[in-house]
Structures are given as C-alpha cells and as structure tokens.
Amino acid sequence: MNHLKVIIIGAGIGGLTAGLTLRRAGYTIEIYEKTSEIRPAGAGISIWSNGVKVLNSLGLGDEIAKIGGQMDIMEYRSHTDELLNQIHLNSLVQTVGQRPYPVSRTELQSLLLNAFNTDIETVKLNAQCIRIEQDEHRVTAYFADGYQTSGDVLIAADGAHSQLRDYVVGHPVKLRYADYVNWNGLVEINGDLGDKNTWVIYVGEGKRASMMPIGNHQFYYFFGCPMVKGTIVEPESRQQELKQIFAGWPFPVQSLIEHLNPYESNRLEIHDLDPLKTLVRGRVALLGDAAHATTPTLGQGGCQAMEDAEILSRFLLTTNIGVEYALKRYETARKERTSTLVLKARKRADMIYGKHPDLTQKWYEQLKQETETDVINALSQTILGGPFH
Ligand code: FAD
C-alpha cells in the first residue's frame, strides 16, 4: 500500500526499528515517546543473528559490528568452577550466516536513533499516549498533554507495561512474575574476570552469574536468583547482597562483585506475558514487548521486536487489500513464533532458577553431556526461524 501515515507509540528497540523498516517502505512515520530522554532500561543486550540480519537489511550492519563484542566462545561452568561445556560459536556463524553481537543498550539505542538522520524530529519526546480511537478510515492517538494525531496505522510498541495492550486485546492483561531477580550492568574487562572473547555462565544452586563481552573493552554482566516478589535493595547494599547470594562461588564471580559499580547496576524483578490470542485490533498492532514480553533466558525479546518490525512492514508494503487485512496477516505470522519462544524461555527460566530442583539438577548433568553440535543446532533453530533464514 502506498502513502500510509504510521503512528508509533514508544521509542524502544521495537518502536525505533519499526520506524526504520516502515520508513524504508516509503511511509510517513511519527514516533511518540513518553520519557523526556531516551534512556534504555538495562545495561547490555545480546542481539542474536536473527536480529542482526534485520539491522543489516536496514543498512546498519557496519554500525552494529562496530559496537558489538567479540563473542567467540560460550562457556558453562559450575559454581564450583568445573568446566561443564565450551562451545566455539564460529560454527553457529557458519550455519546461520551472521555473527551475533552483544552490545551496550545505550549504544544500540543511539545507533537506531541516529539512523533517522535528518528525520530525527520524527521521534517526539515527552509524549505519553493515553488513549486510542479508530473508525474505518483513521486511527487517532490522544496524549496526556492534550495533543492528538491521526494516521492510517498505529503501532503500540510501548513495552512490557503497555498501556495500550488492553485496548487491543479487549480485556485487562497482567504480567506474570517469573519468580526471580536479575542484576545487570557493565564492567571494564580485566584478566581476573575472564577471557575477553568468552561469554561465561556460572550455574549452580538454582542461580547464575554471567559475563558477556560487548564493545569498548567491557563485559555486560548479569546475575539471577529466585526471590519472592517485592524485595527492594538500594544500590549501596547491592554488592553485599550479591556477596551473600554467591558466597563460595569462583574467584571471577567474587571479583566481578568487587569491581562492579552498584550505582550503575540494575536490579529487576523479571516478568513475562502469557501468549496473547490477539495482537491487532483494526488499524492498531502490538509490537515487541507490548505483544510478547518474555523472560530473557533465550536473549530473544529485543530480536523478536526487530523481527516484528520487519514482518509488519513487509505485509503493509505488499498488500493492496487494506491496512486491517495486512495487520491480520502480521498477527498470524507472528503469533506462533513469539508464543513458542515466550513459553520456551519461561521453561528455561524455571529450569535455571530451580523451580523444580530435580529438573535443574538434571540440567546441570546434561550440560556436561551436550556436544557443540547439540548447542549450535538449538541456537540455529531459533535464529533460522526468523524472517531472514
Ligand atoms: P521497550 O524497550 O520497553 O520500549 C518501550 C518504550 O515505550 C519505552 O521507551 C517507554 O518509555 C515507551 N512508552 C511506554 N508507554 C508509553 C506511552 N503510553 N506513550 C509513549 N511512550 C510510551 N532481548 C534480546 O534480544 N537479547 C537479550 O540479550 C536480552 N536481554 C534482556 C535482559 C533483561 C534483564 C531483560 C529485562 C530483557 C532482555 N531482553 C533481551 C529483552 C529486551 O530488552 C526487550 O524485549 C526489548 O527491550 C523490548 O523492546 P520494546 O521496544 O518492545 O519495549
């Protein structure tokens, strides 16, 4: 379809990538973001090859490679420092045709924003969408400050805590607490922490601690531990908290806790969303976490938002029957893939974080038996299920 005006609510990974794919399709784009500054939650993110391929298709391949970490090896170790398995990711790259790139979230957000170049005013800050209305010709977004705008299509890319989701699905939807807390941040790479080309994951006691190399000689680190809902620990006490939880874990984990800056750390209760039956309503489509928030145990949430953006633009561009029809096609194309990944990530979170201790124990044993081929096959299957095989 030609000459559409698309309104996008939310300037996270999903909203910005959708802005770029839809602009490439020749549409007029307006992006509205409620915050006064685009500040991503979280420190790092791993963009797996399926996400990188979407960025490649937008001409951003060199840019993402520049900010990406050199992650050549993935290594599982036990909390007693036993090497459980070590996978060389080169064969993954050979199988799927693209390196994955762990990156700093701030740099990724800047990369996406800068890709709008002179159209940077496309992204309007301090604009909180509070309501949507539509008829058979237009959709209108209303904002907290009284502003309103109308277009042909509206993309609700307003994140896991989406205010617009209930309108689309037609009933209230609640996020589900995944029963664990995640701490994350960035730390300068040094020899005490680990090898600069290795993503190491320490597992044991139903917890994990991990470091992943991003660009600029930094590790993106994260810890995870099961916890009841509602605990709050202020930054000044976080190192003490982590020291207690990971007492007796190997030297690199202790070193990481010593080296991290608690005031630049994040401490998050992890949530996900039961798969939705509906992702679109008329001229309005959910995209990214608003549609399928997931636990981060597969590292696919942001990548799926990028895939959404690619598929949505393809259906709008190649259909002449109408916007509503194109969005229905998008819904059909995305529902199964994203639901499968959300449920798979949920199962994996339960296994990592000891929801059923016997299964977790079995998994630790299984890690020792897993071959490089097993791991590469599992990763490739997820990646090759994306729009660019
Ligand atoms: P968001 O990034 O949440 O963006 C939504 C935007 O909408 C925000 O800027 C918000 O301010 C704005 N907004 C909200 N409401 C309104 C409103 N009413 N009006 C206007 N603006 C509004 N994914 C990966 O691919 N790889 C990983 O390694 C990975 N690791 C993760 C680790 C952790 C600990 C977590 C929590 C997630 C991880 N993810 C990962 C998932 C990934 O972060 C998300 O899937 C991704 O950020 C979703 O992007 P989004 O644009 O849909 O939502």
Side-chain angles (χ1 to χ4, degrees), residues 9-15 32-35 45-46 105 127-129 157-160 163 182 184 220 268 270 287-289 296 299-303:
I9 307 298
I13 296 172
Y32 295 90
E33 165 57 48
K34 74 174 176 188
T35 58
I45 183 166
S46 164
R105 282 191 188 250
Q128 182 185 7
C129 179
D158 54 342
Q163 271 182 275
N182 167 291
N184 67 69
Y220 160 47
L268 306 169
I270 298 298
L287 182 144
D289 278 9
Q300 276 291 333
C303 299

PDB file of all heavy atoms in Angstrom, residues 9-15 32-35 45-46 105 127-129 157-160 163 182 184 220 268 270 287-289 296 299-303, ligand 1:
ATOM      1  N   ILE A   9       3.868   4.312  18.927  1.00  0.00           N
ATOM      2  CA  ILE A   9       3.928   4.716  20.337  1.00  0.00           C
ATOM      3  C   ILE A   9       5.046   3.921  21.010  1.00  0.00           C
ATOM      4  O   ILE A   9       4.978   2.701  21.099  1.00  0.00           O
ATOM      5  CB  ILE A   9       2.578   4.458  21.060  1.00  0.00           C
ATOM      6  CG1 ILE A   9       1.409   5.098  20.301  1.00  0.00           C
ATOM      7  CG2 ILE A   9       2.653   4.948  22.505  1.00  0.00           C
ATOM      8  CD1 ILE A   9       1.459   6.604  20.156  1.00  0.00           C
ATOM      9  N   GLY A  10       6.074   4.636  21.473  1.00  0.00           N
ATOM     10  CA  GLY A  10       7.205   4.001  22.147  1.00  0.00           C
ATOM     11  C   GLY A  10       8.446   4.015  21.280  1.00  0.00           C
ATOM     12  O   GLY A  10       8.406   3.580  20.123  1.00  0.00           O
ATOM     13  N   ALA A  11       9.546   4.542  21.840  1.00  0.00           N
ATOM     14  CA  ALA A  11      10.814   4.612  21.091  1.00  0.00           C
ATOM     15  C   ALA A  11      11.864   3.701  21.721  1.00  0.00           C
ATOM     16  O   ALA A  11      13.006   4.091  21.947  1.00  0.00           O
ATOM     17  CB  ALA A  11      11.310   6.056  21.022  1.00  0.00           C
ATOM     18  N   GLY A  12      11.457   2.462  22.037  1.00  0.00           N
ATOM     19  CA  GLY A  12      12.419   1.434  22.455  1.00  0.00           C
ATOM     20  C   GLY A  12      12.965   0.743  21.207  1.00  0.00           C
ATOM     21  O   GLY A  12      12.802   1.242  20.081  1.00  0.00           O
ATOM     22  N   ILE A  13      13.558  -0.420  21.414  1.00  0.00           N
ATOM     23  CA  ILE A  13      14.133  -1.157  20.278  1.00  0.00           C
ATOM     24  C   ILE A  13      13.049  -1.432  19.232  1.00  0.00           C
ATOM     25  O   ILE A  13      13.271  -1.293  18.032  1.00  0.00           O
ATOM     26  CB  ILE A  13      14.715  -2.510  20.765  1.00  0.00           C
ATOM     27  CG1 ILE A  13      15.871  -2.265  21.725  1.00  0.00           C
ATOM     28  CG2 ILE A  13      15.155  -3.380  19.590  1.00  0.00           C
ATOM     29  CD1 ILE A  13      16.379  -3.541  22.395  1.00  0.00           C
ATOM     30  N   GLY A  14      11.866  -1.829  19.706  1.00  0.00           N
ATOM     31  CA  GLY A  14      10.785  -2.191  18.796  1.00  0.00           C
ATOM     32  C   GLY A  14      10.266  -0.993  18.010  1.00  0.00           C
ATOM     33  O   GLY A  14      10.169  -1.036  16.777  1.00  0.00           O
ATOM     34  N   GLY A  15       9.940   0.088  18.715  1.00  0.00           N
ATOM     35  CA  GLY A  15       9.369   1.272  18.058  1.00  0.00           C
ATOM     36  C   GLY A  15      10.346   1.880  17.055  1.00  0.00           C
ATOM     37  O   GLY A  15       9.961   2.249  15.933  1.00  0.00           O
ATOM     38  N   TYR A  32       6.194   8.532  19.011  1.00  0.00           N
ATOM     39  CA  TYR A  32       5.923   9.275  20.252  1.00  0.00           C
ATOM     40  C   TYR A  32       6.452   8.492  21.435  1.00  0.00           C
ATOM     41  O   TYR A  32       6.142   7.302  21.598  1.00  0.00           O
ATOM     42  CB  TYR A  32       4.416   9.515  20.410  1.00  0.00           C
ATOM     43  CG  TYR A  32       3.889  10.420  19.326  1.00  0.00           C
ATOM     44  CD1 TYR A  32       3.418   9.896  18.123  1.00  0.00           C
ATOM     45  CD2 TYR A  32       3.922  11.793  19.488  1.00  0.00           C
ATOM     46  CE1 TYR A  32       2.975  10.723  17.108  1.00  0.00           C
ATOM     47  CE2 TYR A  32       3.487  12.645  18.474  1.00  0.00           C
ATOM     48  CZ  TYR A  32       3.016  12.091  17.278  1.00  0.00           C
ATOM     49  OH  TYR A  32       2.587  12.925  16.279  1.00  0.00           O
ATOM     50  N   GLU A  33       7.245   9.170  22.269  1.00  0.00           N
ATOM     51  CA  GLU A  33       7.891   8.519  23.422  1.00  0.00           C
ATOM     52  C   GLU A  33       7.546   9.326  24.675  1.00  0.00           C
ATOM     53  O   GLU A  33       7.706  10.540  24.689  1.00  0.00           O
ATOM     54  CB  GLU A  33       9.405   8.478  23.171  1.00  0.00           C
ATOM     55  CG  GLU A  33      10.264   8.167  24.365  1.00  0.00           C
ATOM     56  CD  GLU A  33       9.947   6.833  25.061  1.00  0.00           C
ATOM     57  OE1 GLU A  33       9.819   5.813  24.379  1.00  0.00           O
ATOM     58  OE2 GLU A  33       9.813   6.851  26.313  1.00  0.00           O
ATOM     59  N   LYS A  34       7.131   8.615  25.724  1.00  0.00           N
ATOM     60  CA  LYS A  34       6.658   9.348  26.909  1.00  0.00           C
ATOM     61  C   LYS A  34       7.774   9.970  27.743  1.00  0.00           C
ATOM     62  O   LYS A  34       7.550  10.942  28.437  1.00  0.00           O
ATOM     63  CB  LYS A  34       5.795   8.437  27.779  1.00  0.00           C
ATOM     64  CG  LYS A  34       6.527   7.379  28.565  1.00  0.00           C
ATOM     65  CD  LYS A  34       5.571   6.641  29.501  1.00  0.00           C
ATOM     66  CE  LYS A  34       6.303   5.525  30.219  1.00  0.00           C
ATOM     67  NZ  LYS A  34       5.433   4.664  30.978  1.00  0.00           N
ATOM     68  N   THR A  35       8.998   9.407  27.675  1.00  0.00           N
ATOM     69  CA  THR A  35      10.064   9.963  28.523  1.00  0.00           C
ATOM     70  C   THR A  35      10.671  11.208  27.873  1.00  0.00           C
ATOM     71  O   THR A  35      10.511  11.443  26.669  1.00  0.00           O
ATOM     72  CB  THR A  35      11.176   8.917  28.758  1.00  0.00           C
ATOM     73  OG1 THR A  35      11.681   8.505  27.497  1.00  0.00           O
ATOM     74  CG2 THR A  35      10.651   7.701  29.497  1.00  0.00           C
ATOM     75  N   ILE A  45      22.769  -5.979  25.954  1.00  0.00           N
ATOM     76  CA  ILE A  45      21.781  -6.852  25.304  1.00  0.00           C
ATOM     77  C   ILE A  45      22.512  -7.642  24.218  1.00  0.00           C
ATOM     78  O   ILE A  45      23.416  -7.090  23.558  1.00  0.00           O
ATOM     79  CB  ILE A  45      20.604  -6.041  24.712  1.00  0.00           C
ATOM     80  CG1 ILE A  45      19.544  -6.956  24.110  1.00  0.00           C
ATOM     81  CG2 ILE A  45      21.072  -5.007  23.704  1.00  0.00           C
ATOM     82  CD1 ILE A  45      18.216  -6.264  23.821  1.00  0.00           C
ATOM     83  N   SER A  46      22.109  -8.889  24.088  1.00  0.00           N
ATOM     84  CA  SER A  46      22.734  -9.676  23.048  1.00  0.00           C
ATOM     85  C   SER A  46      21.804  -9.709  21.836  1.00  0.00           C
ATOM     86  O   SER A  46      20.673 -10.180  21.934  1.00  0.00           O
ATOM     87  CB  SER A  46      22.955 -11.071  23.613  1.00  0.00           C
ATOM     88  OG  SER A  46      23.201 -11.934  22.567  1.00  0.00           O
ATOM     89  N   ARG A 105      23.308  -1.248  25.613  1.00  0.00           N
ATOM     90  CA  ARG A 105      21.958  -0.806  25.215  1.00  0.00           C
ATOM     91  C   ARG A 105      21.942   0.656  24.807  1.00  0.00           C
ATOM     92  O   ARG A 105      21.234   1.055  23.883  1.00  0.00           O
ATOM     93  CB  ARG A 105      20.970  -0.995  26.369  1.00  0.00           C
ATOM     94  CG  ARG A 105      20.527  -2.422  26.522  1.00  0.00           C
ATOM     95  CD  ARG A 105      19.366  -2.493  27.486  1.00  0.00           C
ATOM     96  NE  ARG A 105      19.059  -3.870  27.767  1.00  0.00           N
ATOM     97  CZ  ARG A 105      17.963  -4.505  27.359  1.00  0.00           C
ATOM     98  NH1 ARG A 105      17.047  -3.871  26.678  1.00  0.00           N
ATOM     99  NH2 ARG A 105      17.761  -5.758  27.661  1.00  0.00           N
ATOM    100  N   ALA A 127       5.851  12.639  25.181  1.00  0.00           N
ATOM    101  CA  ALA A 127       4.529  12.431  24.559  1.00  0.00           C
ATOM    102  C   ALA A 127       3.960  11.103  25.037  1.00  0.00           C
ATOM    103  O   ALA A 127       4.282  10.053  24.490  1.00  0.00           O
ATOM    104  CB  ALA A 127       4.687  12.443  23.046  1.00  0.00           C
ATOM    105  N   GLN A 128       3.144  11.168  26.077  1.00  0.00           N
ATOM    106  CA  GLN A 128       2.561   9.943  26.615  1.00  0.00           C
ATOM    107  C   GLN A 128       1.178   9.705  26.019  1.00  0.00           C
ATOM    108  O   GLN A 128       0.245  10.487  26.242  1.00  0.00           O
ATOM    109  CB  GLN A 128       2.448  10.017  28.139  1.00  0.00           C
ATOM    110  CG  GLN A 128       1.895   8.719  28.702  1.00  0.00           C
ATOM    111  CD  GLN A 128       1.655   8.765  30.191  1.00  0.00           C
ATOM    112  OE1 GLN A 128       1.774   9.819  30.817  1.00  0.00           O
ATOM    113  NE2 GLN A 128       1.301   7.627  30.755  1.00  0.00           N
ATOM    114  N   CYS A 129       1.071   8.640  25.273  1.00  0.00           N
ATOM    115  CA  CYS A 129      -0.222   8.307  24.674  1.00  0.00           C
ATOM    116  C   CYS A 129      -1.124   7.722  25.769  1.00  0.00           C
ATOM    117  O   CYS A 129      -0.701   6.835  26.523  1.00  0.00           O
ATOM    118  CB  CYS A 129      -0.019   7.285  23.559  1.00  0.00           C
ATOM    119  SG  CYS A 129      -1.552   6.785  22.787  1.00  0.00           S
ATOM    120  N   ALA A 157       4.107   0.086  20.485  1.00  0.00           N
ATOM    121  CA  ALA A 157       5.405  -0.521  20.854  1.00  0.00           C
ATOM    122  C   ALA A 157       5.790   0.049  22.207  1.00  0.00           C
ATOM    123  O   ALA A 157       6.901   0.534  22.405  1.00  0.00           O
ATOM    124  CB  ALA A 157       6.455  -0.208  19.792  1.00  0.00           C
ATOM    125  N   ASP A 158       4.833   0.006  23.137  1.00  0.00           N
ATOM    126  CA  ASP A 158       5.015   0.700  24.419  1.00  0.00           C
ATOM    127  C   ASP A 158       5.469  -0.228  25.542  1.00  0.00           C
ATOM    128  O   ASP A 158       5.248   0.066  26.714  1.00  0.00           O
ATOM    129  CB  ASP A 158       3.764   1.503  24.798  1.00  0.00           C
ATOM    130  CG  ASP A 158       2.483   0.680  24.802  1.00  0.00           C
ATOM    131  OD1 ASP A 158       2.476  -0.417  24.203  1.00  0.00           O
ATOM    132  OD2 ASP A 158       1.485   1.111  25.410  1.00  0.00           O
ATOM    133  N   GLY A 159       6.110  -1.321  25.183  1.00  0.00           N
ATOM    134  CA  GLY A 159       6.836  -2.118  26.155  1.00  0.00           C
ATOM    135  C   GLY A 159       6.001  -3.081  26.983  1.00  0.00           C
ATOM    136  O   GLY A 159       4.786  -3.186  26.832  1.00  0.00           O
ATOM    137  N   ALA A 160       6.699  -3.789  27.888  1.00  0.00           N
ATOM    138  CA  ALA A 160       6.061  -4.834  28.696  1.00  0.00           C
ATOM    139  C   ALA A 160       4.903  -4.277  29.519  1.00  0.00           C
ATOM    140  O   ALA A 160       3.884  -4.939  29.711  1.00  0.00           O
ATOM    141  CB  ALA A 160       7.107  -5.460  29.614  1.00  0.00           C
ATOM    142  N   GLN A 163       0.358   0.418  28.076  1.00  0.00           N
ATOM    143  CA  GLN A 163      -0.952   0.957  28.481  1.00  0.00           C
ATOM    144  C   GLN A 163      -1.982   0.695  27.390  1.00  0.00           C
ATOM    145  O   GLN A 163      -3.166   0.816  27.614  1.00  0.00           O
ATOM    146  CB  GLN A 163      -0.846   2.488  28.605  1.00  0.00           C
ATOM    147  CG  GLN A 163      -0.434   3.005  29.959  1.00  0.00           C
ATOM    148  CD  GLN A 163      -0.427   4.531  29.935  1.00  0.00           C
ATOM    149  OE1 GLN A 163       0.557   5.134  29.530  1.00  0.00           O
ATOM    150  NE2 GLN A 163      -1.521   5.158  30.340  1.00  0.00           N
ATOM    151  N   ASN A 182      16.942 -10.256  38.604  1.00  0.00           N
ATOM    152  CA  ASN A 182      18.121 -10.138  37.740  1.00  0.00           C
ATOM    153  C   ASN A 182      18.866  -8.854  38.105  1.00  0.00           C
ATOM    154  O   ASN A 182      18.236  -7.814  38.280  1.00  0.00           O
ATOM    155  CB  ASN A 182      17.636 -10.102  36.273  1.00  0.00           C
ATOM    156  CG  ASN A 182      18.702  -9.666  35.285  1.00  0.00           C
ATOM    157  OD1 ASN A 182      19.123  -8.503  35.266  1.00  0.00           O
ATOM    158  ND2 ASN A 182      19.121 -10.568  34.435  1.00  0.00           N
ATOM    159  N   ASN A 184      22.063  -6.496  36.665  1.00  0.00           N
ATOM    160  CA  ASN A 184      22.929  -6.390  35.480  1.00  0.00           C
ATOM    161  C   ASN A 184      23.621  -5.045  35.413  1.00  0.00           C
ATOM    162  O   ASN A 184      23.216  -4.085  36.078  1.00  0.00           O
ATOM    163  CB  ASN A 184      22.143  -6.701  34.200  1.00  0.00           C
ATOM    164  CG  ASN A 184      21.093  -5.652  33.896  1.00  0.00           C
ATOM    165  OD1 ASN A 184      21.426  -4.520  33.558  1.00  0.00           O
ATOM    166  ND2 ASN A 184      19.817  -6.002  34.051  1.00  0.00           N
ATOM    167  N   TYR A 220      29.240  -7.140  29.694  1.00  0.00           N
ATOM    168  CA  TYR A 220      27.880  -6.977  30.195  1.00  0.00           C
ATOM    169  C   TYR A 220      27.729  -8.127  31.188  1.00  0.00           C
ATOM    170  O   TYR A 220      27.916  -9.285  30.827  1.00  0.00           O
ATOM    171  CB  TYR A 220      26.912  -7.096  29.011  1.00  0.00           C
ATOM    172  CG  TYR A 220      25.486  -7.421  29.361  1.00  0.00           C
ATOM    173  CD1 TYR A 220      24.813  -6.741  30.368  1.00  0.00           C
ATOM    174  CD2 TYR A 220      24.786  -8.400  28.652  1.00  0.00           C
ATOM    175  CE1 TYR A 220      23.489  -7.048  30.668  1.00  0.00           C
ATOM    176  CE2 TYR A 220      23.469  -8.703  28.938  1.00  0.00           C
ATOM    177  CZ  TYR A 220      22.835  -8.023  29.955  1.00  0.00           C
ATOM    178  OH  TYR A 220      21.530  -8.316  30.251  1.00  0.00           O
ATOM    179  N   LEU A 268      16.293  -6.008  38.783  1.00  0.00           N
ATOM    180  CA  LEU A 268      14.954  -6.102  38.185  1.00  0.00           C
ATOM    181  C   LEU A 268      14.246  -7.378  38.595  1.00  0.00           C
ATOM    182  O   LEU A 268      14.859  -8.454  38.596  1.00  0.00           O
ATOM    183  CB  LEU A 268      15.065  -6.183  36.652  1.00  0.00           C
ATOM    184  CG  LEU A 268      15.844  -5.141  35.901  1.00  0.00           C
ATOM    185  CD1 LEU A 268      16.030  -5.599  34.460  1.00  0.00           C
ATOM    186  CD2 LEU A 268      15.089  -3.822  35.947  1.00  0.00           C
ATOM    187  N   ILE A 270      11.914 -10.072  37.190  1.00  0.00           N
ATOM    188  CA  ILE A 270      11.660 -10.449  35.794  1.00  0.00           C
ATOM    189  C   ILE A 270      10.210 -10.919  35.619  1.00  0.00           C
ATOM    190  O   ILE A 270       9.710 -11.717  36.409  1.00  0.00           O
ATOM    191  CB  ILE A 270      12.652 -11.537  35.344  1.00  0.00           C
ATOM    192  CG1 ILE A 270      14.091 -10.995  35.417  1.00  0.00           C
ATOM    193  CG2 ILE A 270      12.323 -12.049  33.944  1.00  0.00           C
ATOM    194  CD1 ILE A 270      14.394  -9.818  34.519  1.00  0.00           C
ATOM    195  N   LEU A 287       3.443  -4.515  19.140  1.00  0.00           N
ATOM    196  CA  LEU A 287       4.762  -4.922  18.611  1.00  0.00           C
ATOM    197  C   LEU A 287       5.774  -4.960  19.765  1.00  0.00           C
ATOM    198  O   LEU A 287       5.725  -4.138  20.674  1.00  0.00           O
ATOM    199  CB  LEU A 287       5.183  -3.931  17.529  1.00  0.00           C
ATOM    200  CG  LEU A 287       6.500  -4.158  16.799  1.00  0.00           C
ATOM    201  CD1 LEU A 287       6.363  -3.741  15.312  1.00  0.00           C
ATOM    202  CD2 LEU A 287       7.656  -3.391  17.437  1.00  0.00           C
ATOM    203  N   GLY A 288       6.691  -5.914  19.720  1.00  0.00           N
ATOM    204  CA  GLY A 288       7.734  -6.015  20.748  1.00  0.00           C
ATOM    205  C   GLY A 288       7.155  -6.507  22.064  1.00  0.00           C
ATOM    206  O   GLY A 288       6.224  -7.312  22.098  1.00  0.00           O
ATOM    207  N   ASP A 289       7.723  -6.012  23.173  1.00  0.00           N
ATOM    208  CA  ASP A 289       7.298  -6.491  24.495  1.00  0.00           C
ATOM    209  C   ASP A 289       5.821  -6.229  24.769  1.00  0.00           C
ATOM    210  O   ASP A 289       5.211  -6.939  25.570  1.00  0.00           O
ATOM    211  CB  ASP A 289       8.135  -5.820  25.598  1.00  0.00           C
ATOM    212  CG  ASP A 289       9.472  -6.513  25.801  1.00  0.00           C
ATOM    213  OD1 ASP A 289       9.822  -7.391  24.987  1.00  0.00           O
ATOM    214  OD2 ASP A 289      10.170  -6.173  26.772  1.00  0.00           O
ATOM    215  N   PRO A 296      14.279 -13.221  29.895  1.00  0.00           N
ATOM    216  CA  PRO A 296      15.416 -13.072  28.963  1.00  0.00           C
ATOM    217  C   PRO A 296      16.318 -14.297  28.846  1.00  0.00           C
ATOM    218  O   PRO A 296      17.476 -14.162  28.459  1.00  0.00           O
ATOM    219  CB  PRO A 296      16.176 -11.887  29.566  1.00  0.00           C
ATOM    220  CG  PRO A 296      15.848 -11.885  30.999  1.00  0.00           C
ATOM    221  CD  PRO A 296      14.501 -12.501  31.151  1.00  0.00           C
ATOM    222  N   GLY A 299      17.510 -14.688  25.337  1.00  0.00           N
ATOM    223  CA  GLY A 299      18.062 -13.464  24.746  1.00  0.00           C
ATOM    224  C   GLY A 299      17.363 -13.114  23.439  1.00  0.00           C
ATOM    225  O   GLY A 299      17.989 -12.668  22.482  1.00  0.00           O
ATOM    226  N   GLN A 300      16.041 -13.297  23.402  1.00  0.00           N
ATOM    227  CA  GLN A 300      15.341 -13.101  22.129  1.00  0.00           C
ATOM    228  C   GLN A 300      14.297 -11.972  22.147  1.00  0.00           C
ATOM    229  O   GLN A 300      13.735 -11.654  21.103  1.00  0.00           O
ATOM    230  CB  GLN A 300      14.659 -14.406  21.710  1.00  0.00           C
ATOM    231  CG  GLN A 300      15.594 -15.364  20.971  1.00  0.00           C
ATOM    232  CD  GLN A 300      15.987 -14.855  19.592  1.00  0.00           C
ATOM    233  OE1 GLN A 300      15.264 -14.095  18.955  1.00  0.00           O
ATOM    234  NE2 GLN A 300      17.146 -15.261  19.115  1.00  0.00           N
ATOM    235  N   GLY A 301      14.023 -11.354  23.305  1.00  0.00           N
ATOM    236  CA  GLY A 301      12.953 -10.340  23.352  1.00  0.00           C
ATOM    237  C   GLY A 301      13.158  -9.207  22.359  1.00  0.00           C
ATOM    238  O   GLY A 301      12.277  -8.876  21.557  1.00  0.00           O
ATOM    239  N   GLY A 302      14.346  -8.609  22.412  1.00  0.00           N
ATOM    240  CA  GLY A 302      14.641  -7.492  21.513  1.00  0.00           C
ATOM    241  C   GLY A 302      14.723  -7.958  20.062  1.00  0.00           C
ATOM    242  O   GLY A 302      14.276  -7.261  19.139  1.00  0.00           O
ATOM    243  N   CYS A 303      15.278  -9.165  19.862  1.00  0.00           N
ATOM    244  CA  CYS A 303      15.392  -9.708  18.495  1.00  0.00           C
ATOM    245  C   CYS A 303      13.997  -9.943  17.904  1.00  0.00           C
ATOM    246  O   CYS A 303      13.772  -9.696  16.706  1.00  0.00           O
ATOM    247  CB  CYS A 303      16.173 -11.019  18.514  1.00  0.00           C
ATOM    248  SG  CYS A 303      17.855 -10.844  19.120  1.00  0.00           S
TER     249      CYS A 303
HETATM  250  P1  FAD B   1      10.772  -1.145  25.483  1.00  0.00           P
HETATM  251  O1  FAD B   1      12.230  -1.233  25.273  1.00  0.00           O
HETATM  252  O2  FAD B   1      10.243  -1.324  26.864  1.00  0.00           O
HETATM  253  O3  FAD B   1      10.308   0.280  24.926  1.00  0.00           O
HETATM  254  C1  FAD B   1       9.026   0.783  25.137  1.00  0.00           C
HETATM  255  C2  FAD B   1       9.079   2.298  25.049  1.00  0.00           C
HETATM  256  O4  FAD B   1       7.763   2.822  25.080  1.00  0.00           O
HETATM  257  C3  FAD B   1       9.813   2.928  26.247  1.00  0.00           C
HETATM  258  O5  FAD B   1      10.766   3.844  25.768  1.00  0.00           O
HETATM  259  C4  FAD B   1       8.709   3.614  27.035  1.00  0.00           C
HETATM  260  O6  FAD B   1       9.150   4.763  27.714  1.00  0.00           O
HETATM  261  C5  FAD B   1       7.715   3.962  25.920  1.00  0.00           C
HETATM  262  N1  FAD B   1       6.332   4.088  26.372  1.00  0.00           N
HETATM  263  C6  FAD B   1       5.668   3.288  27.245  1.00  0.00           C
HETATM  264  N2  FAD B   1       4.391   3.691  27.375  1.00  0.00           N
HETATM  265  C7  FAD B   1       4.230   4.761  26.566  1.00  0.00           C
HETATM  266  C8  FAD B   1       3.132   5.616  26.277  1.00  0.00           C
HETATM  267  N3  FAD B   1       1.939   5.410  26.820  1.00  0.00           N
HETATM  268  N4  FAD B   1       3.307   6.631  25.401  1.00  0.00           N
HETATM  269  C9  FAD B   1       4.539   6.839  24.827  1.00  0.00           C
HETATM  270  N5  FAD B   1       5.615   6.061  25.084  1.00  0.00           N
HETATM  271  C10 FAD B   1       5.464   5.036  25.929  1.00  0.00           C
HETATM  272  N6  FAD B   1      16.416  -9.192  24.355  1.00  0.00           N
HETATM  273  C11 FAD B   1      17.318  -9.654  23.457  1.00  0.00           C
HETATM  274  O7  FAD B   1      17.012  -9.693  22.250  1.00  0.00           O
HETATM  275  N7  FAD B   1      18.563 -10.077  23.853  1.00  0.00           N
HETATM  276  C12 FAD B   1      18.955 -10.033  25.161  1.00  0.00           C
HETATM  277  O8  FAD B   1      20.086 -10.389  25.482  1.00  0.00           O
HETATM  278  C13 FAD B   1      18.029  -9.550  26.130  1.00  0.00           C
HETATM  279  N8  FAD B   1      18.363  -9.482  27.426  1.00  0.00           N
HETATM  280  C14 FAD B   1      17.471  -9.000  28.336  1.00  0.00           C
HETATM  281  C15 FAD B   1      17.847  -8.919  29.676  1.00  0.00           C
HETATM  282  C16 FAD B   1      16.956  -8.432  30.622  1.00  0.00           C
HETATM  283  C17 FAD B   1      17.354  -8.403  32.061  1.00  0.00           C
HETATM  284  C18 FAD B   1      15.655  -8.007  30.205  1.00  0.00           C
HETATM  285  C19 FAD B   1      14.673  -7.478  31.217  1.00  0.00           C
HETATM  286  C20 FAD B   1      15.280  -8.076  28.880  1.00  0.00           C
HETATM  287  C21 FAD B   1      16.175  -8.566  27.934  1.00  0.00           C
HETATM  288  N9  FAD B   1      15.839  -8.634  26.580  1.00  0.00           N
HETATM  289  C22 FAD B   1      16.737  -9.122  25.672  1.00  0.00           C
HETATM  290  C23 FAD B   1      14.511  -8.211  26.119  1.00  0.00           C
HETATM  291  C24 FAD B   1      14.534  -6.814  25.524  1.00  0.00           C
HETATM  292  O9  FAD B   1      15.112  -5.906  26.432  1.00  0.00           O
HETATM  293  C25 FAD B   1      13.121  -6.370  25.203  1.00  0.00           C
HETATM  294  O10 FAD B   1      12.454  -7.381  24.508  1.00  0.00           O
HETATM  295  C26 FAD B   1      13.115  -5.101  24.346  1.00  0.00           C
HETATM  296  O11 FAD B   1      13.767  -4.054  25.026  1.00  0.00           O
HETATM  297  C27 FAD B   1      11.689  -4.722  24.015  1.00  0.00           C
HETATM  298  O12 FAD B   1      11.679  -3.540  23.286  1.00  0.00           O
HETATM  299  P2  FAD B   1      10.339  -2.719  23.111  1.00  0.00           P
HETATM  300  O13 FAD B   1      10.682  -1.589  22.206  1.00  0.00           O
HETATM  301  O14 FAD B   1       9.225  -3.619  22.750  1.00  0.00           O
HETATM  302  O15 FAD B   1       9.984  -2.186  24.572  1.00  0.00           O
END
